[in-house]
Amino acid sequence: MTPSTNQGTARGARALEVHTLRDGHGTPLVLLHGFPVDHRMWRAAVEAMPGHATVLAVDLFGLGQSPDGPRQPSLEASADAVVAAVRDAGFDRAVVAGLSMGGYVALAVAERHAAFTVGLGLLDTKSRADTPEARLQRQRVAHQVEAERSTDGVLGMVGSLLGSPAGASTPS
């Protein structure tokens, strides 16, 4: 199946892009990707999912096919935009699940839009704020990406996100 997209509008601005990864029935599952990827990270997982539920994936601000976000980005603004985009796609309630940064946004959706959120999935994420050191590192990378208008600043994340290759150095 070819995923479809929805370009609704929220409060006069172009909304986040919503991709239908599975056209099914019932309450949809809304998937929120990690940084610095987009909705495409979910395709293989959705293909392996049992059942026939509708599965939507949202491109968060500045990633995939979604516009840049507000000048002062926040989890709250992202959460509100996710809910507005999913509602524009025709759904009043959803199960919301997010990976890493998407998990932060999913948690904000649940906190700010309890009546919208039927269920919550937090995948490889946490519910606590970053340490001051981690926050500074995130800000440094964000400023570099913004200043250079390039994702080169996130390339250094590869070493911290990926483990060593299997068998690379196993103790005997």
Side-chain angles (χ1 to χ4, degrees):
M1 173 177 97
T2 304
S4 62
T5 61
N6 172 51
Q7 292 184 354
T9 56
R11 297 175 198 92
R14 184 168 164 237
L16 297 179
E17 197 72 26
V18 177
H19 303 269
T20 301
L21 299 184
R22 179 192 289 160
D23 193 10
H25 60 278
T27 302
L29 170 62
V30 174
L31 299 172
L32 304 176
H33 60 81
F35 179 82
V37 296
D38 62 25
H39 74 279
R40 294 173 294 173
M41 70 162 281
W42 296 112
R43 285 187 178 155
V46 171
E47 288 176 15
M49 284 181 191
H52 302 285
T54 297
V55 180
L56 308 174
V58 177
D59 284 338
L60 296 172
F61 285 127
L63 298 164
Q65 297 173 3
S66 285
D68 289 342
R71 190 70 187 128
Q72 294 296 319
S74 70
L75 293 173
E76 293 80 9
S78 293
D80 294 348
V82 165
V83 171
V86 172
R87 285 188 170 142
D88 283 351
F91 300 95
D92 292 324
R93 296 171 43 120
V95 174
V96 182
L99 176 87
S100 191
M101 177 192 71
Y104 294 170
V105 176
L107 187 58
V109 167
E111 290 172 341
R112 294 175 64 79
H113 302 277
F116 174 85
T117 310
V118 174
L120 177 66
L122 301 176
L123 310 159
D124 197 20
T125 193
K126 57 187 179 179
S127 61
R128 294 191 185 108
D130 283 339
T131 64
E133 296 81 17
R135 181 179 167 90
L136 286 173
Q137 177 62 14
R138 284 183 194 268
Q139 289 174 337
R140 185 195 66 74
V141 170
H143 290 304
Q144 180 180 352
V145 166
E146 188 173 74
E148 296 174 2
R149 299 297 295 165
S150 165
T151 58
D152 291 346
V154 298
L155 294 177
M157 294 174 59
V158 172
S160 64
L161 294 175
L162 301 177
S164 300
S169 175
T170 54
S172 7

